[in-house]
Amino acid sequence: MFHKALVIGCPGAGKSDFARKLRDASGLPLYYLDLLWHKADRTTVSRVEFDRAIHAILAQKAWILDGNYQRTLEPRLKVCDAVFFLDYPLEVCLAGAEARIGKAREDMPWVETEFDEEFRQWILAFPKRELTAIYALLAQYRDGREIIVFHSRQEAGAFLKTLPPRPEA
């Protein structure tokens, strides 16, 4: 069983939903990188503050970290023991991002009111801009950690069903 897990993938893939289910099954504390980066007024913290918050979490004995934030991926990979990569088709990610508009979420400090065009373009560019680097880092850090790549929500759901029930406290 893992103690330090990353949940990564394209925006809209359902990382936060998967991470919540992983938390509920494992009992590990869950941290959302979006909540560390974004403020409620839709501004962001400084990179120094963001990095400091991440490193404080990484120093803990157990955690689940939800979010891509490629710039910070390598330091997180160095200390995790499991990676769950939601590598879903682009249309699934676009539909997922659009479906959450207007819904309050525990992983974001505000409710999205529209499918922002800049965010849509970020998702569209993700496969060309991010995937090669992610797979290279996963290959580099594959030793000593479990890396599971899901290509559909069905695969991720089937995996979650294999986790042992969480012991009641």
Side-chain angles (χ1 to χ4, degrees), residues 141-158:
Y141 290 98
R142 72 177 171 265
D143 293 339
R145 58 201 44 79
E146 185 174 8
I147 297 175
I148 301 173
V149 180
F150 301 114
H151 296 286
S152 70
R153 292 205 168 118
Q154 292 77 14
E155 287 178 7

Side-chain angles (χ1 to χ4, degrees), residues 95-108:
E98 191 165 9
R100 65 189 188 197
I101 295 169
K103 297 178 181 170
R105 300 166 26 214
E106 72 179 69
D107 57 299
M108 280 296 284

Side-chain angles (χ1 to χ4, degrees), residues 29-115:
L30 170 58
Y31 301 95
Y32 299 108
L33 293 183
D34 280 341
L35 283 180
L36 299 177
W37 178 246
H38 295 287
K39 296 180 183 180
D41 66 1
R42 297 183 184 239
T43 61
T44 60
V45 299
S46 71
R47 280 184 170 201
V48 170
E49 188 177 342
F50 184 62
D51 292 353
R52 190 178 302 128
I54 289 173
H55 288 288
I57 294 165
L58 298 181
Q60 297 176 21
K61 67 177 187 169
W63 40 258
I64 298 168
L65 270 174
D66 160 49
N68 230 43
Y69 291 82
Q70 185 110 346
R71 182 183 67 77
T72 69
L73 184 54
E74 189 167 11
R76 291 181 284 133
L77 280 170
K78 287 179 179 179
V79 298
C80 74
D81 56 23
V83 179
F84 300 94
F85 180 23
L86 283 56
D87 185 7
Y88 296 168
L90 192 54
E91 51 277 358
V92 170
C93 299
L94 286 167
E98 191 165 9
R100 65 189 188 197
I101 295 169
K103 297 178 181 170
R105 300 166 26 214
E106 72 179 69
D107 57 299
M108 280 296 284
W110 65 74
V111 174
E112 295 167 299
T113 57
E114 64 180 340
F115 198 172

